[in-house]
Amino acid sequence: MKKTIITVVGKDTVGIIARVCTYLAENNVNILDISQTIVQGFFNMMMVTDATRSERTIGELSDGLNKLGEEIGVDIRCQHEDIFNKMHRI
């Protein structure tokens, strides 16, 4: 399984979740878990996904999500689960 961790942070606007989920669905990426909050107008979302069926590499998915983030005014990061875990271990 190619698990990825996707984070989305920025000012809250209509359609952020819809746009990100549409991009993932179009690229055959399955959402395994999702958490999102809005605090004083700031949007924060974290997703655990499975990119096994995607024809794109994690790098290509990350590039596409970065471009999408620029279009909708948020910062989107996509990392392989192993890299995310190594960066955030205590």
Side-chain angles (χ1 to χ4, degrees):
M1 183 180 305
K2 286 188 339 190
K3 274 192 184 177
T4 61
I5 310 300
I6 298 170
T7 57
V8 182
V9 178
K11 282 284 246 181
D12 185 37
T13 58
V14 173
I16 296 171
I17 297 171
R19 295 283 303 272
V20 173
C21 290
T22 297
Y23 176 87
L24 296 176
E26 288 172 348
N27 287 284
N28 294 315
V29 176
N30 186 37
I31 299 168
L32 302 174
D33 200 356
I34 183 171
S35 173
Q36 69 93 43
T37 58
I38 300 168
V39 178
Q40 295 186 5
F42 292 96
F43 180 88
N44 185 30
M45 179 168 66
M46 182 174 175
M47 307 169 98
V48 178
T49 67
D50 177 8
T52 303
R53 292 193 207 162
S54 180
E55 294 180 9
R56 295 179 183 241
T57 66
I58 292 175
E60 291 169 334
L61 291 169
S62 181
D63 290 345
L65 286 165
N66 287 336
K67 182 178 175 187
L68 174 62
E70 290 174 8
E71 290 174 15
I72 62 177
V74 296
D75 181 48
I76 304 177
R77 308 274 176 174
C78 176
Q79 297 176 308
H80 190 280
E81 178 187 37
D82 293 339
I83 293 171
F84 184 87
N85 286 334
K86 288 188 190 315
M87 288 179 58
H88 293 90
R89 69 180 173 186
I90 296 176

